[in-house]
Amino acid sequence: MTVQKNILKVGKAIHRIDARSKVRGAEKYASDYYGQNLVWAGVKRAGIPHARIKNIIIEKTKNLTGVISVLTYRDIHGSNRQGVIRRDQPVLADDKVRHCGDAVALVLAEDQAVLKEALDLIAIDYEPLPGIFSIGKALEQGAPLIHEEHPGGNVLLKGDLKTGRGEAALEECDVVVEGYFTVPYQEHAYLETEGGWALLTEDGHLEITASTQTPFRDLAEVAEALGIERESIRIRAPYCGGAFGGKDGITVQSLLALAALHCQGRPVRMVWDREESFIAGVKRHPGSLHYRLGAKADGTLYALSAEVYYDTGPYDHLGGAILALGLEHAGGPYRIPHASIRGWSVYTNNPVAGAFRGFGVPQVAAAMEQTMDMLAAKLDLSPLEMRRRNAVHRGDKTPLGVTLISSTGLAECLDAVAEHALWKEKERWKASAGSSKKRGVGIACVMHGMGYGPIVPDYANAKIELTKKGAFRIFCGVVDMGQGNASTYLQIAGDILNQDMDHLELVLPDTEKTLPSGSASASRTTYTFGNALIGAAEALKKRILQRSAETCASDPNDGLTMVLRPGSVFHPPTGKEIPLSQIVRMLDESERISVFEFRAPVTQERPTEDENLRLHGIPHRIFSYGVHLAYVEVDELTGKVEAQRYLAISDCGRIINPQVFEQQIQGGIAQGIGYALCEDLVVARGKIQTPNLSTYVIPTAMDIPEMESIAIEKQEETGPFGLKGAGEIAIDGPLPAIANAVADACGVRIFHAPLAAGRVLTALEAKRGGKEVKA
Amino acid sequence: MYAGGTDLLVRLRKNPVNPFPLVCLGQIKELKGVRESPEGAFIGACSSHASLLSNPIIRYAFPVLAKGLQVLGSPPIRNMGTIGGNICTASPAGDTLPPLYVLDAVLEIRSQNAVRRIAIKDFIVGPGQQRLNKGEILAGIWLKNDPDFNIHHFEKVGQRNALAISVASLSALLKVSESGIIERVRLAWGSVAPTIVSPTNVEAALKGHFLSKDTLQKVMPLLREAISPIDDIRATAAYRRTVAGNILLRLLASFPYKEGYGT
């Protein structure tokens, strides 16, 4: 009897396959290439936020020994524009620079030292233009335009959504609360900064290996921007050393391609250092939000007005889609019959904001969930009870008026919180605070849409090959940026094909080998590709068993009786076992390969007739849900807030690998704690004042408490093995849960994140001062 | 000339030096380790923070220094960085400095032909500035035993719990009588002035009084006179000013005796 214990099973917690090679330092990332005869490429950045370029002075640089080439926009023969929806970002600045991090010239050099010297020698003659450094300034009448040709002026995208009677219904509420919130930038701060390498082969093929979430989309962007044939480009995407959305789109790809075209067949490498990653990379959108929320006296939510402003920097970079997702989630996971939800994504000369885990939702969740607590307090309801009374169930409509037709497990999450010891024992814990400490407990409910929305096709193509050696090779078309989806794919294939790890192989995304499967983003990676993979695996399994039956069993229709075993096919009635390496010989080359396409379902409802908003992703059909609970302790002497315990209860459907799932949730919480408490990108007149990890403070393990993650595992009928997306939802909860906990602890609410010590101490002092006045 | 290189590494990345005239003292045996002497201890300047943290003499005789070392940087920095380096870097945010000030550390400076001793407060003269002459190295630190103190306190306020540059810190040694009277007191603040601040007038004002919130509140104006914090990317001067005073109140929680005092 074959040993079956190592067969991969869905639902089993297993170590991810990349763990060992990553821990040992053996895994090669895009930025790990140091080949022979290497050319080093680097970028001259604008350094000023807004100016017309009069002249780029490169002669001195060109003559420097060791410099191979200095390239500017004049060397680009395509559109010189990149972007996902609105292509407004130049590869190399031509007429203007629009933020300090704009790329102006590309230098190719023999080594790093020459490269640095060469970049310093480039001078740019500017005609400075007035800069726009705030949303308010950008929206002023007659404000200088960042993109003169954009019909919306400095507004990249505007959304105006209304359900029921909208904000007018606030007047019919018994209780209304109002809050103005601001949320900060957030830096992705991945271990692996943006980077990669490229090569122009002898036959004219451009091969790019990059740290990217979007190899297939990059192809089209690079081709158009540089005016080269898409067919002549190949992009490989190894594991990323973190991405979180910051590599959802072009970073180094076009620059590397341009460089390779001027390297006479030598490989060229470019990796941004940490400061460059800060200055040129994208960030989470900072924003300001104005919320008014009203309820009836019994605590039933009745009307919402939400105004959301996001600073997108000078380029789209998904900033429109991010606003749209923010607007869709602005009212949270509640039944609110009347809502006015308006939003503006605004061009400025600040750093570029773009995709970041959460994609516009953490900002609105911060505002909505704090407003919920304010309303609960006014109604004298517990925060949990307030949410239980208004939580969406399947079949309810969202604040956008869209019916929730997929699995909806928020109520179960809330029940689980109510039953949890951390909720039941919170008063005792709060009462046992030490001297000069205040303790508070906060909760937040979150929902997160999955996939691209109604218009942009959300599909994946899975491919499996039975190799001549009798193993299964999984062609993974969607990037594993660290979240572990590649492992999950092997687990899915292993479960269906009844294989162990020894008989499974993985091919990471490569536009020449794997099939287009969309981006690693939008909490859709495992859902969409997983569904495609199930189709491909089932079809291949059927074919193998059928063919085996034809050869080894008497009855060719006996395929159903045959079973797959690791590396073999087994026929229980006869006890016959044939190695797959033998079966493979009976299959034609094309039959060894199975391909299946899955396209995610979308909702048919149209909450808006604004086609542009629909294009930008409104509305979604499938949502994950969660309830987060935070225990915080506030130091009255310093204002320092410490998260001391954390609980996340999630409805992300069924779980394929509980270990990988828990890592996703914990990673989201940790990143969310940074967002809530200490990460503060300081930008002054468009220039980042904290361009490194010494001044931009992300939490370390010492700042992250014990985290408990519970999955309620409600089946999503359309999901692979019942799964829904889990990549983003965990970052939506920490800021509001912690802010609510701080308000609970201090008796004063801080409307501006992060809740850094200085801000908290000021609020505590103001409160103390206020009390003294009253006394 | 350097010892552990933890500061140098950062500086060199910003301003590369070429050629590299670097002399590492870190591996000289004579400059490492802790030696007990009748009146105290001698700490070799090139002892790593981690080695001191696990040294029983430091832990038991000079707990206030151990408390400072405990929150310095992170494990890798504590493994590489040295106490001598922390002193010579002379940053007002150096985590070992406030403890060394309250311990009245005396530094042993050596050159080819001479040995001299200087109090730490006279050695450090400004941010990054100390009185190390050409041809001299810091060989070690003399600490005197003083078992008299019964409160050994160190607090660092930073933007996170590890790998943080102190925004304000306080080191305190107190002898408090059973009845709650402050009989002796040494205080030193970090990150609130160009150098460590150890105001004798604040100490004098506390001496002879009950360790209580009132007593501590009363010296706040003196303290705020003594410090001159700056605004920087980590904190505002106003925050540092407030917190420098506030963290003095933490001493109340350290008071080891009868309940009722210190409230």
Side-chain angles (χ1 to χ4, degrees):
Chain A
M1 175 98 193
T2 321
V3 181
Q4 303 250 333
K5 69 170 188 207
N6 291 327
I7 287 170
L8 297 174
K9 283 283 166 213
V10 163
K12 213 166 104 180
I14 52 172
H15 296 313
R16 43 163 72 202
I17 49 154
D18 50 330
R20 202 177 154 79
S21 62
K22 284 180 177 173
V23 168
R24 291 165 63 227
E27 192 64 50
K28 293 290 175 221
Y29 297 91
S31 48
D32 280 334
Y33 183 82
Y34 298 90
Q36 299 246 307
N37 203 20
L38 192 65
V39 175
W40 296 76
V43 171
K44 178 73 180 179
R45 304 262 164 213
I48 65 169
H50 200 195
R52 208 164 290 288
I53 298 174
K54 285 160 73 181
N55 196 9
I56 307 168
I57 305 144
I58 58 174
E59 284 62 36
K60 265 191 195 167
T61 315
K62 272 189 159 167
N63 295 331
L64 195 69
T65 313
V67 168
I68 297 161
S69 193
V70 182
L71 306 165
T72 66
Y73 69 93
R74 292 192 188 89
D75 301 290
I76 296 175
H77 306 299
S79 69
N80 190 23
R81 288 294 180 276
Q82 41 197 3
V84 181
I85 295 183
R86 189 173 141 71
R87 297 200 169 168
D88 57 5
Q89 183 169 16
V91 179
L92 290 173
D94 34 37
D95 56 334
K96 292 212 296 187
V97 297
R98 297 178 185 82
H99 78 121
C100 292
D102 258 336
V104 181
L106 177 66
V107 177
L108 311 180
E110 293 291 344
D111 61 52
Q112 272 179 294
V114 174
L115 180 62
K116 194 184 174 308
E117 199 185 339
L119 288 170
D120 290 342
L121 275 179
I122 296 176
I124 308 162
D125 192 3
Y126 288 122
E127 176 197 331
L129 295 169
I132 293 188
F133 305 118
S134 71
I135 293 167
K137 261 273 174 296
L139 295 177
E140 269 176 16
Q141 279 243 307
L145 294 177
I146 291 167
H147 295 276
E148 289 82 357
E149 75 294 351
H150 181 52
N154 287 332
V155 177
L156 165 65
L157 184 75
K158 182 176 186 270
D160 191 345
L161 298 151
K162 187 177 163 188
T163 49
R165 286 189 301 285
E167 63 187 331
L170 282 168
E171 288 174 14
E172 299 153 35
C173 295
D174 297 317
V175 189
V176 175
V177 292
E178 180 172 22
Y180 288 89
F181 302 87
T182 62
V183 285
Y185 283 103
Q186 190 177 20
E187 173 77 11
H188 301 79
Y190 11 73
L191 277 176
E192 184 200 25
T193 55
E194 296 83 348
W197 62 281
L199 177 74
L200 184 66
T201 64
E202 278 177 22
D203 56 0
H205 268 74
L206 197 49
E207 297 196 339
I208 305 168
T209 303
S211 192
T212 175
Q213 293 168 240
T214 50
F216 287 93
R217 205 176 68 204
D218 297 348
L219 272 189
E221 278 189 68
V222 172
E224 190 185 307
L226 301 186
I228 45 184
E229 290 293 311
R230 186 191 161 121
E231 289 67 32
S232 66
I233 309 172
R234 171 187 188 179
I235 298 183
R236 274 178 294 206
Y239 289 117
C240 300
F244 313 114
K247 297 166 183 173
D248 184 351
I250 299 283
T251 57
V252 296
Q253 295 86 321
S254 302
L255 293 163
L256 276 173
L258 179 63
L261 294 174
H262 293 84
C263 283
Q264 289 84 41
R266 293 171 65 183
V268 55
R269 172 182 200 269
M270 174 160 64
V271 178
W272 296 353
D273 66 16
R274 182 60 64 188
E275 287 78 0
E276 191 170 18
S277 176
F278 264 90
I279 289 161
V282 301
K283 332 266 161 245
R284 185 185 307 289
H285 284 73
S288 42
L289 305 99
H290 177 207
Y291 268 62
R292 284 178 294 156
L293 182 63
K296 294 290 187 186
D298 64 355
T300 310
L301 290 177
Y302 192 72
L304 166 73
S305 162
E307 288 182 350
V308 176
Y309 297 85
Y310 287 168
D311 176 348
T312 202
Y315 301 117
D316 177 330
H317 212 294
L318 292 165
I322 287 162
L323 174 72
L325 201 72
L327 296 182
E328 189 178 355
H329 291 75
Y334 305 111
R335 294 182 305 269
I336 310 175
H338 309 285
S340 293
I341 298 170
R342 288 180 290 260
W344 293 261
S345 186
V346 178
Y347 282 133
T348 66
N349 297 115
N350 285 326
V352 186
F356 194 149
R357 185 187 220 166
F359 209 78
V361 180
Q363 295 93 325
V364 292
M368 181 65 196
E369 286 304 293
Q370 293 194 69
T371 311
M372 277 296 276
D373 261 34
M374 290 157 62
L375 195 57
K378 218 165 173 181
L379 288 160
D380 206 18
L381 282 173
S382 95
L384 184 63
E385 182 53 31
M386 181 73 201
R387 287 167 174 86
R388 285 178 116 170
R389 288 188 191 180
N390 294 286
V392 285
H393 294 73
R394 191 174 195 155
D396 285 343
K397 287 191 186 306
T398 67
L400 233 58
V402 178
T403 316
L404 293 167
I405 53 176
S406 299
S407 60
T408 306
L410 180 60
E412 288 91 330
C413 294
L414 284 164
D415 289 345
V417 168
E419 289 307 312
H420 199 280
L422 286 178
W423 179 256
K424 288 182 169 167
E425 289 165 13
K426 67 183 169 68
E427 295 307 324
R428 205 174 55 186
W429 181 78
K430 278 160 62 177
S432 60
S435 69
S436 307
K437 307 280 185 185
K438 285 174 179 283
R439 285 177 167 182
V441 175
I443 61 168
C445 285
V446 287
M447 72 192 291
H448 204 104
M450 191 176 71
Y452 301 152
I455 309 268
V456 178
D458 190 344
Y459 66 93
N461 289 288
K463 175 177 160 185
I464 309 183
E465 177 188 356
L466 177 62
T467 69
K468 288 190 170 157
K469 286 185 175 163
F472 292 94
R473 186 172 290 154
I474 317 298
F475 290 82
C476 173
V478 57
V479 173
D480 185 335
M481 49 182 163
Q483 75 274 51
N485 51 309
S487 292
T488 306
Y489 301 153
L490 293 190
Q491 202 167 348
I492 290 173
D495 185 291
I496 294 169
L497 299 166
N498 206 35
Q499 299 298 307
D500 57 20
M501 208 60 102
D502 293 341
H503 295 89
L504 293 168
E505 295 173 13
L506 181 69
V507 178
L508 291 175
D510 176 339
T511 57
E512 233 166 55
K513 290 183 180 167
T514 63
L515 303 176
S517 296
S519 56
S521 68
S523 299
R524 47 87 65 186
T525 311
T526 305
Y527 175 86
T528 311
F529 190 82
N531 269 325
L533 186 60
I534 290 173
E538 295 282 9
L540 186 57
K541 176 181 171 183
K542 194 174 162 196
R543 190 180 299 155
I544 291 169
L545 294 181
Q546 197 84 45
R547 202 57 61 86
S548 317
E550 284 163 18
T551 21
C552 76
S554 45
D555 178 5
N557 294 322
D558 207 16
L560 289 176
T561 321
M562 311 273 318
V563 291
L564 274 166
R565 280 184 170 180
S568 68
V569 176
F570 183 63
H571 187 245
T574 57
K576 221 170 170 182
E577 185 162 5
I578 318 164
L580 282 169
S581 55
Q582 203 174 313
I583 301 285
V584 77
R585 283 185 229 137
M586 295 177 271
L587 295 170
D588 181 74
E589 196 74 12
S590 64
E591 290 174 311
R592 293 195 288 113
I593 292 168
S594 172
V595 170
F596 190 86
E597 177 179 343
F598 174 79
R599 190 161 170 162
V602 296
T603 181
Q604 300 305 316
E605 281 180 277
R606 301 169 72 95
T608 170
E609 289 309 314
D610 184 338
E611 277 309 300
N612 203 21
L613 280 184
R614 282 169 44 80
L615 174 69
H616 282 82
I618 290 180
H620 286 74
R621 172 178 168 138
I622 302 168
F623 296 86
S624 294
Y625 297 87
V627 182
H628 285 212
L629 180 148
Y631 272 36
V632 306
E633 188 169 274
V634 181
D635 189 308
E636 290 182 279
L637 301 182
T638 63
K640 190 172 192 302
V641 178
E642 226 176 53
Q644 297 207 336
R645 290 293 297 275
Y646 204 96
L647 169 69
I649 298 183
S650 316
D651 163 29
C652 297
R654 289 274 165 80
I655 307 303
I656 291 180
N657 185 341
Q659 200 175 84
V660 168
F661 172 77
E662 187 179 41
Q663 290 168 351
Q664 276 297 294
I665 298 299
Q666 291 189 343
I669 294 169
Q671 210 163 30
I673 288 175
Y675 184 51
L677 293 180
C678 59
E679 296 189 32
D680 202 1
L681 191 90
V682 180
V683 179
R685 299 192 64 76
K687 198 162 185 175
I688 296 174
Q689 309 295 304
T690 51
N692 53 50
L693 295 174
S694 150
T695 49
Y696 181 82
V697 176
I698 61 171
T700 75
M702 298 290 285
D703 305 287
I704 303 301
E706 198 66 33
M707 294 174 280
E708 188 178 349
S709 161
I710 296 171
I712 60 156
E713 299 229 27
K714 195 180 174 84
Q715 175 88 6
E716 164 54 41
E717 293 87 342
T718 67
F721 296 94
L723 155 156
K724 291 191 284 192
E728 296 176 276
I729 187 153
I731 205 165
D732 300 334
L735 171 52
I738 287 171
N740 285 337
V742 169
D744 182 44
C746 302
V748 53
R749 185 168 293 278
I750 296 157
F751 292 87
H752 310 290
L755 279 65
R759 211 164 251 162
V760 176
L761 191 63
T762 306
L764 285 171
E765 283 182 332
K767 188 177 172 252
R768 252 176 255 148
K771 261 189 183 164
E772 275 167 24
V773 171
K774 271 179 212 158
Chain B
M1 201 141 58
Y2 73 102
T6 51
D7 284 321
L8 184 73
L9 199 69
V10 179
R11 261 182 259 160
L12 282 181
R13 186 170 175 269
K14 217 172 177 184
N15 303 307
V17 182
N18 203 8
F20 246 58
L22 290 178
V23 178
C24 177
L25 305 175
Q27 298 309 313
I28 300 173
K29 243 192 207 150
E30 290 72 10
L31 299 180
K32 287 180 157 191
V34 181
R35 292 194 297 276
E36 241 176 327
S37 71
E39 63 282 15
F42 177 79
I43 304 173
C46 293
S47 307
S48 74
H49 304 303
S51 73
L52 296 178
L53 203 45
S54 61
N55 185 294
I57 302 168
I58 302 298
R59 292 193 80 91
Y60 298 116
F62 309 103
V64 71
L65 177 58
K67 286 177 182 176
L69 291 164
Q70 184 77 55
V71 292
L72 186 153
S74 61
I77 290 175
R78 291 197 290 271
N79 284 335
M80 291 304 291
T82 65
I83 190 162
N86 206 233
I87 294 168
C88 291
T89 294
S91 159
D95 288 322
T96 66
L97 303 185
L100 291 173
Y101 272 63
V102 294
L103 289 166
D104 288 319
V106 172
L107 309 181
E108 183 168 311
I109 312 288
R110 285 176 178 262
S111 55
Q112 201 170 2
N113 304 312
V115 179
R116 66 181 172 105
R117 289 192 185 183
I118 180 170
I120 190 164
K121 67 174 175 29
D122 301 323
F123 181 69
I124 295 174
V125 291
Q129 294 167 318
Q130 18 71 1
R131 296 206 160 117
L132 203 59
N133 301 320
K134 215 168 180 184
E136 286 185 332
I137 62 163
L138 171 63
I141 301 109
W142 290 97
L143 296 180
K144 263 194 193 142
N145 282 330
D146 199 338
D148 215 19
F149 291 115
N150 52 16
I151 293 178
H152 308 259
H153 176 79
F154 181 80
E155 176 171 6
K156 168 176 170 175
V157 181
Q159 288 173 295
R160 61 184 161 203
N161 290 336
L163 268 177
I165 295 177
S166 119
V167 158
S169 65
L170 169 64
S171 188
L173 291 176
L174 280 85
K175 185 191 178 194
V176 180
S177 73
E178 273 193 53
S179 54
I181 301 286
I182 301 170
E183 295 183 344
R184 290 179 65 198
V185 55
R186 291 286 289 114
L187 301 168
W189 279 263
S191 297
V192 290
T195 59
I196 304 301
V197 173
S198 189
T200 46
N201 57 342
V202 173
E203 292 170 349
L206 289 172
K207 207 173 154 183
H209 293 274
F210 277 108
L211 174 55
S212 69
K213 195 171 177 179
D214 253 13
T215 302
L216 296 173
Q217 294 279 17
K218 272 187 193 140
V219 301
M220 299 278 176
L222 287 178
L223 167 67
R224 295 196 168 121
E225 280 287 294
I227 61 179
S228 49
I230 54 160
D231 279 314
D232 69 9
I233 204 75
R234 294 184 177 86
T236 61
Y239 177 77
R240 289 190 160 100
R241 198 173 281 283
T242 306
V243 164
N246 283 359
I247 55 179
L248 196 55
L249 300 174
R250 199 86 70 196
L251 290 174
L252 300 173
S254 319
F255 185 53
Y257 296 111
K258 293 171 198 164
E259 278 184 32
Y261 291 113
T263 52

